Amino acid sequence: PLHVRHAIAVNPRRTGELEGRRLLLVADVFTTGAMVSECARIFSAAGTSAVHVLTLARVDAPRREY
């Protein structure tokens, strides 16, 4: 997603601390998933073995009536 690309980064000096670790991201609201996806991409690239997400609330897409 373009609007969150480069919004998250891992300090290169700390990458070794993530290597092989499982990571839990805690998000208050899951809207489109763009931020969670970008975080997972960045942390996976930094060497985490797994990225899990815990979300407290989710925004439903509006229902379309035909």
Side-chain angles (χ1 to χ4, degrees), residues 3-66:
H3 67 284
V4 295
R5 181 84 49 190
H6 306 295
I8 304 295
V10 173
N11 183 331
R13 294 178 292 182
R14 313 255 346 222
T15 301
E17 296 174 27
L18 296 173
E19 192 73 35
R21 296 213 178 214
R22 295 179 301 174
L23 185 69
L24 174 63
L25 297 176
V26 179
D28 56 351
V29 177
F30 186 96
T31 309
T32 64
M35 184 60 76
V36 169
S37 294
E38 182 66 2
C39 288
R41 186 183 72 79
I42 293 296
F43 289 125
S44 292
T48 59
S49 63
V51 178
H52 302 277
V53 179
L54 174 65
T55 304
L56 304 177
R58 180 181 68 147
V59 176
D60 280 333
R63 294 183 184 174
R64 296 181 181 181
E65 294 185 29
Y66 296 96

